[in-house]
Amino acid sequence: MFEILLYAAAVSLLGLSYYKDREKTKKGLKKAWKSFLNVFPAFAGVLALTGLALSIISPDFISRFIGNSTGFLGMLTTAVIGAITLIPGFIAFPLAASLLEKGAGITQMAVFVSTLMMVGIVTMPLEIQYFGRKEALLRNAFSFLFSFIVAAVIGVVVS
Amino acid sequence: MKKLKPYMLLILVVIADLIVFAGSPDLGKVILKSTGTNFAQMLGVIPPIFLLIGLMDVWVPREKVIKFMGEGSGITGVLLAILLGAAAAGPLYAAFPVAAIMIKKGAKFTNILVFLGAWSTMKIPMFLFEMASLGYAFAITRLLLSLTGILLMSWLINKLMSEDEKRNIYAKHSDVARG
C-alpha cells in the first residue's frame, strides 16, 4: 500500500518536473541513477546479509529462545537478537504480541521492539558508508543502551 | 581488484550462503527465499526514493533547506526533522540516502540525526500497527520515550563528533552522486 503511494508520488512529481523543465528533470534523473549505482554494492551486500541472518534467526528460533527466559539475561538476549535482525514491524509486532501471550515478559518484548527498530548491526556497513564509522557506532550503541531504559519504563507503565 | 572491493560484503555473504547450502540444503532454500524477499522489498521502496532524491536535488534550493533545517533553524528544524522521519515508511536503510541529500543541501547535523531517529522508530504507520498489536499503553509510552531519547542522543552524538569528522561527512555528500 505504502509502496503504491510512494511510486504514485514519485511518478507524478517526475511528470510535473518534466512538464516544468525537461533539462532539469534529466539532470535530476542522472543524479538519482548515479547515486543509486554508487550505493548499490553496499545495498546488495546488506540485503544478502539480512537474508542470511533472518533465515538463521527466524521468528521460530526467537520464540524458542526467549519464550520462557526471564530477567536481565532474557532482556539481553532479546536486545541482541533485536539489534542484529531487521524484522519488518508488520511481522515483529504480532510476533511480540504472541510471545507475550505465551508468557514472555513485557520488558523483554519492549527491549526487543526498541532495538529491532533503532539498532541495525546488519545495516551498519551501509550506515558507515553514508555517515562514517563514528556516527554509525555511536548511534547504534546509544540506541542499544537507550532501549533498556525504554523497556524499564514500559515494564512499570504497562503491567 | 579495486572494482570488486565495494562488493566484498556481498561476495562474503554469498560464500557463507553456499557453505550453509552445502551443509543443509533446506536452510539454504530458506535463505534463498528470504534474500529474494529482501531484494523485492528494496525494489518496492528504493527506486521511487532515489527518483525523489534526484528531483529534490535539482528543484529544492539549498538556501531553503539551510533556512528551515540548517544552523540557526532552531525548533523549526527539529520539528521538521521529526515530521519528515515520522511520515515515512520503509526500512531504516531507505532513510540513509534521504539524509544524504539533506546533508548536501545544508541541513544541520543534529537535525539529520533526529531525522534518522524518527524514521527508525517513530513512523506513524508503524505506530498505528504497534497500538493494534501491543496496546495503547505500550505504543504511546514507547513513542514518547523514543522522542525524548532521540533528541538527547542526537544532541550527544553531535557533541561527541569533532568538527573535522562532521566536515568529512558533509564533504562526502557535497556531490550527491558520490554519496
Side-chain angles (χ1 to χ4, degrees), chain B residues 10-123:
Chain B
L10 182 64
I11 293 165
L12 287 176
V13 174
V14 170
I15 292 170
D17 285 349
L18 289 174
I19 293 170
V20 173
F21 195 81
S24 160
D26 279 346
L27 187 57
K29 273 177 214 154
V30 176
I31 292 175
L32 192 68
K33 208 181 144 211
S34 106
T35 307
T37 313
N38 281 334
F39 275 89
Q41 196 198 14
M42 177 188 91
L43 280 183
V45 290
I46 289 301
I49 282 183
F50 273 93
L51 193 62
L52 289 171
I53 288 170
L55 292 176
M56 240 181 103
D57 202 2
V58 291
W59 285 108
V60 179
R62 200 177 138 78
E63 303 75 54
K64 280 265 153 57
V65 180
I66 291 177
K67 187 179 161 207
F68 290 112
M69 295 189 80
E71 301 292 337
S73 59
I75 190 81
T76 318
V78 179
L79 285 177
L80 211 54
I82 294 170
L83 282 180
L84 286 173
L92 182 59
Y93 62 68
F96 298 157
V98 182
I101 185 83
M102 284 159 70
I103 287 178
K104 186 193 175 186
K105 295 284 180 186
K108 200 163 89 170
F109 194 60
T110 40
N111 287 342
I112 297 293
L113 292 167
V114 170
F115 168 74
L116 288 177
W119 184 306
S120 74
T121 201
M122 291 177 62
K123 283 174 300 212

Side-chain angles (χ1 to χ4, degrees), chain B residues 6 9 11 22 24 52-53 57 144 156-157 163 176:
Chain B
L9 180 64
I11 293 165
S24 160
L52 289 171
I53 288 170
D57 202 2
L144 293 177
L156 199 58
I157 294 170
E163 287 306 314
V176 81

Side-chain angles (χ1 to χ4, degrees), chain A residues 73-146:
Chain A
L73 202 64
M75 265 175 93
L76 203 60
T77 317
T78 33
V80 170
I81 294 174
I84 301 169
T85 53
L86 271 172
I87 303 175
F90 61 86
I91 297 174
F93 295 140
L95 171 69
S98 76
L99 289 175
L100 279 174
E101 271 172 28
K102 282 182 195 161
I106 189 92
T107 45
Q108 279 86 348
M109 285 307 103
V111 82
F112 176 61
V113 167
S114 189
T115 54
L116 197 59
M117 305 191 88
M118 299 181 82
V119 188
I121 302 289
V122 289
T123 48
M124 260 176 82
L126 198 60
E127 189 166 356
I128 290 171
Q129 186 174 338
Y130 271 107
F131 312 113
R133 191 153 296 167
K134 189 157 174 190
E135 187 279 345
L137 283 176
L138 286 176
R139 199 192 63 78
N140 283 287
F142 281 147
S143 302
F144 186 82
L145 294 176
F146 173 68

